[in-house]
């Protein structure tokens, strides 16, 4: 594939690296010749010096024949304009990184449609989603995210005397945004129909939007587990999004931020979060915030060094689970040695997205459930795929469930009357013996 | 574009009594649902979408008016409703004043042009002080409806 990247910062460079490793032709555009020289020494890529908003520069970089353009400079506006220009000039697909998530809100104005950009990605939001996933997964049960964090797949064990036991799925009255994807009773795993019922001890996988999954979990539990105390250090965009996600779950969330103005802003936006005005580099202030008593501590400031140091500090104070954002790959080795349990890097989060985008087939991402009994696919539906030819109820899918559908910017769990269209993103749940058969439904057929 | 092209007559609320912004939005969406505009299942989703938009910045644009709006796939055409709150609602407006006139708009996602035209139509009329004064004095849904019709036909003095 021909891929043009706008912006040779940390994100741009690491994307270029990943794509080079995967044998793609990469050209990087940046306004600074010096930055380009550094990256050129490391990687076998083309570079063009100039602005991503300048059509002549973009022409030189080859966007006209590009399969993919990724605008990842540090300015939202440059990314929006650059990606839009690239698309208009001929690039097949464009992605703009955005910092301000208000650009993804379409209520008043639809930026994505106006600029004709395929995806607006907020790396900060995606990183927060990844961190939240780590915080929320307790015990052995996994949580997976799809469609840029919009859709979640969660495994849970059905407890004895929970409300759902013995009730058929159609009588379970699950809300619209969620469905039971798989039921596993030890020796067999099925994709259930409306009449199947859940037994105590079964494992089920729930698929749906994050908020709705959180709200139906209690149907499968005897009683809700105790709330965990979570402390987040750093109220930047990542900390803000993370607190926003966790406050809806079973967590008592405290958010520490050193800038007073920012604290006021955060307190105004996050109703169920305790916002503390505190400097995380001062031990006394950390003690005051009772971080030692927290169940989980997440260091999410803008500086790797601060995140690592305060992580170690909090471990000393007695907190049992430490997570940290670490941007520079060089630090990866020392983290485990320092007792930091989980580190999430925005680079890796971006890498996952980018690798999905360079997939040539319809499947953008896949993962397995219940020890390989079933697979989850994130699929981009192309023109002429058989699945688009009729409403879902008339398509004879076998052990293959269309669990979620993303059209425009709306995600929903489709019903039988819904018809899949080209351009939709769908989440398919596929039984292990039916993968080939299911693939036929999403592989475009040429008109004869 | 005219107001009555998209304001749903049956959903007009001439006597909104609520104590918060959230309740005002819930009541207006509920009124659209009662008029048969979307299914009961979708009500919560529409409310959530409108509240999410409000978080980014209030649609209370000052002078006692607010225009909460969103796009949502549960509607297949532009729909709006009008509510008059005699006692005022704290809408976190730009000028800090309470809101007395509310226009709530929901459009399908694939009609961005119409959505903006509708917002433009609403904003244009709300700039007319006479229109606002008469709206605040309306007692029944019919009063409101008649007033919208007059505004559409340019029968109100500026």
């Amino acid at each position: 594939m021909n891929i043009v990247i706008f912006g040779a910062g940390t994100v741009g460079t690491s994307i270029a690296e990943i794509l080079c490793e995967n044998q793609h032709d990469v050209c990087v555009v940046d306004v600074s010749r010096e930055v380009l020289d550094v990256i050129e020494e490391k990687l076998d890529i083309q570079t063009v010096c100039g602005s991503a908003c300048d059509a002549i520069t973009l022409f030189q970089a080859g966007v006209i024949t590009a399969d993919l353009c990724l605008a990842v400079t540090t300015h939202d506006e440059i990314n929006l304009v650059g990606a839009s220009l690239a698309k208009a000039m001929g690039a097949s697909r464009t992605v703009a990184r955005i910092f301000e998530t208000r650009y993804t809100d379409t209520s008043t104005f639809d930026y994505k449609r106006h600029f004709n950009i395929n995806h607006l990605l907020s790396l900060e939001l995606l990183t927060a989603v990844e961190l939240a996933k780590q915080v929320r997964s307790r015990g052995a049960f996994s949580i997976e995210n799809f469609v840029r964090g919009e859709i979640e797949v969660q495994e849970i064990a059905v407890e004895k005397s929970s409300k759902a036991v013995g009730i058929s799925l159609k009588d379970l009255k699950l809300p619209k945004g969620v469905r039971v994807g798989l039921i596993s009773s030890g020796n067999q795993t099925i994709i259930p129909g409306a009449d199947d019922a859940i037994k105590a001890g079964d494992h089920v996988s729930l698929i749906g939007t994050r908020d709705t999954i959180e709200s139906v979990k209690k149907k499968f539990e005897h009683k809700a587990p105790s709330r965990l105390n979570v402390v987040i250090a750093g109220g930047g965009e990542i900390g803000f999004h993370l607190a926003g996600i966790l406050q809806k779950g079973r967590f008592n969330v405290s958010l520490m931020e050193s800038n007073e103005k920012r604290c006021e802003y955060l307190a105004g936006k996050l109703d169920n979060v305790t916002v503390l005005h505190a400097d995380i580099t001062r031990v006394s202030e950390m003690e005051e915030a009772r971080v030692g008593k927290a169940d989980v501590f997440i260091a999410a400031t803008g500086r790797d060094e601060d995140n690592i140091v305060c992580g170690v500090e909090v471990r000393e104070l007695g907190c049992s689970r430490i997570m940290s954002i670490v941007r520079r790959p060089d630090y990866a080795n020392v983290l485990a040695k320092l007792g930091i349990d989980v580190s999430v890097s925005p680079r890796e989060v971006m890498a996952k997205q980018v690798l999905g985008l360079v997939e040539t087939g319809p499947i953008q991402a896949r993962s397995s459930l219940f020890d390989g009994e079933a697979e989850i696919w994130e699929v981009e539906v192309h023109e002429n795929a058989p699945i688009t030819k009729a409403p879902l109820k008339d398509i004879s899918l076998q052990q293959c469930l269309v669990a979620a559908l993303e059209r425009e910017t709306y995600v929903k769990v489709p019903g039988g009357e819904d018809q899949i269209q080209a351009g939709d993103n769908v989440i398919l749940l596929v039984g292990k013996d039916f993968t080939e058969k299911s693939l036929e439904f999403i592989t475009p057929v040429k008109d004869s | 574009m005219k107001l009555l092209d998209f304001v749903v007559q049956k959903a007009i609320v001439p006597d909104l009594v609520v104590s918060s912004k959230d309740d005002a939005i819930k009541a207006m969406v509920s009124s659209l649902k009662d008029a048969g505009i979307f299914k009961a299942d979708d009500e919560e989703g529409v409310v959530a979408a409108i509240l999410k938009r409000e978080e980014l910045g209030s649609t209370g644009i000052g002078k006692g008016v607010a225009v909460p709006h969103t796009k949502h796939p549960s509607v297949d055409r532009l729909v709006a409703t009008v509510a008059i709150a005699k006692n005022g609602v704290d809408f976190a407006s730009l000028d800090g004043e309470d809101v007395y006139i509310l226009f709530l708009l929901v459009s399908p996602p694939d009609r961005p042009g119409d959505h903006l035209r509708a917002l433009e139509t609403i904003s244009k009329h709300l700039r007319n002080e006479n229109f606002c004064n008469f709206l605040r004095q309306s007692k029944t849904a019919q009063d409101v409806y008649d007033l919208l019709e007059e505004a559409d036909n340019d029968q109100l003095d500026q």
Side-chain angles (χ1 to χ4, degrees), chain A residues 101-102 105-110 113 176 269 408-410, chain B residues 41-42 53 55-56 69-71 73 109-110 112 115-116:
Chain A
T101 42
R102 44 201 305 150
D105 182 83
T106 60
S107 298
T108 303
F109 190 74
D110 191 341
R113 182 189 286 264
K176 266 183 116 184
K269 297 269 175 189
E408 306 279 338
T409 44
Y410 298 89
Chain B
D41 278 3
D42 289 316
R53 164 64 185 82
E55 274 176 26
L56 299 171
H69 58 264
T70 195
K71 294 187 185 128
D110 55 352
H115 182 72
L116 287 173

Side-chain angles (χ1 to χ4, degrees), chain B residues 18-37:
Chain B
V18 288
S19 53
S20 72
K21 176 174 176 172
D22 286 19
D23 288 346
I25 288 167
K26 278 179 197 155
M28 292 179 80
V29 174
S30 168
S31 165
L32 278 171
K33 178 207 69 184
D34 292 341
I37 294 303

Side-chain angles (χ1 to χ4, degrees), chain A residues 10-41:
Chain A
T10 335
V11 176
T13 307
S14 72
I15 294 173
E17 224 171 84
I18 299 160
L19 292 173
C20 277
E21 277 168 28
N22 287 279
Q23 275 79 45
H24 294 289
D25 290 324
V26 177
C27 178
V28 177
V29 177
D30 199 283
V31 280
S32 157
R33 186 71 253 169
E34 287 148 39
V35 174
L36 290 175
D37 285 342
V38 174
I39 181 170
E40 235 175 15
E41 257 177 47

Side-chain angles (χ1 to χ4, degrees), chain A residues 338-354:
Chain A
L338 292 170
I340 290 168
D341 304 301
V342 178
S343 66
V344 169
S345 102
R347 293 168 50 255
E348 287 165 14
V349 172
M350 190 69 181
K352 186 177 156 199
Q353 297 295 325
V354 169

Side-chain angles (χ1 to χ4, degrees), chain A residues 3-190:
Chain A
I3 298 162
V4 184
I5 299 169
F6 307 155
T10 335
V11 176
T13 307
S14 72
I15 294 173
E17 224 171 84
I18 299 160
L19 292 173
C20 277
E21 277 168 28
N22 287 279
Q23 275 79 45
H24 294 289
D25 290 324
V26 177
C27 178
V28 177
V29 177
D30 199 283
V31 280
S32 157
R33 186 71 253 169
E34 287 148 39
V35 174
L36 290 175
D37 285 342
V38 174
I39 181 170
E40 235 175 15
E41 257 177 47
K42 277 202 302 191
L43 302 171
D44 179 22
I45 54 163
Q46 301 278 317
T47 61
V48 175
C49 184
S51 162
C53 297
D54 169 11
I56 293 167
T57 305
L58 297 191
F59 176 77
Q60 290 171 332
V63 298
I64 291 181
T65 52
D67 299 296
L68 177 65
C69 282
L70 297 155
V72 293
T73 74
T74 47
H75 292 90
D76 286 1
E77 293 75 13
I78 290 177
N79 294 341
L80 287 171
V81 172
S84 182
L85 278 176
K87 185 71 180 249
M89 289 170 74
S92 310
R93 241 198 310 190
T94 55
V95 177
R97 175 195 179 179
I98 49 151
F99 190 72
E100 276 279 357
T101 42
R102 44 201 305 150
Y103 286 127
T104 57
D105 182 83
T106 60
S107 298
T108 303
F109 190 74
D110 191 341
Y111 295 91
K112 186 170 134 206
R113 182 189 286 264
H114 177 77
F115 286 107
N116 195 14
I117 296 168
N118 294 90
H119 297 295
L120 301 179
L121 288 187
S122 161
L123 203 43
E124 286 67 32
L125 177 60
L126 288 169
T127 306
V129 168
E130 180 66 25
L131 278 165
K133 177 183 119 181
Q134 302 282 356
V135 175
R136 290 166 58 227
S137 57
R138 299 187 191 183
F141 299 109
S142 66
I143 299 177
E144 273 305 327
N145 294 308
F146 294 91
V147 202
R148 292 167 292 289
E150 297 280 347
I151 290 286
E152 188 173 278
V153 179
Q154 202 174 129
E155 266 178 55
I156 52 174
V158 181
E159 292 175 4
K160 236 192 283 177
S161 64
S162 70
K163 280 185 193 143
V165 171
I167 299 172
S168 65
L169 292 188
K170 67 173 188 297
D171 295 326
L172 205 52
K173 298 209 170 56
L174 291 177
K176 266 183 116 184
V178 69
R179 65 196 297 178
V180 173
L182 282 177
I183 300 179
S184 170
S185 56
N187 46 11
Q188 70 161 353
T189 300
I190 55 161

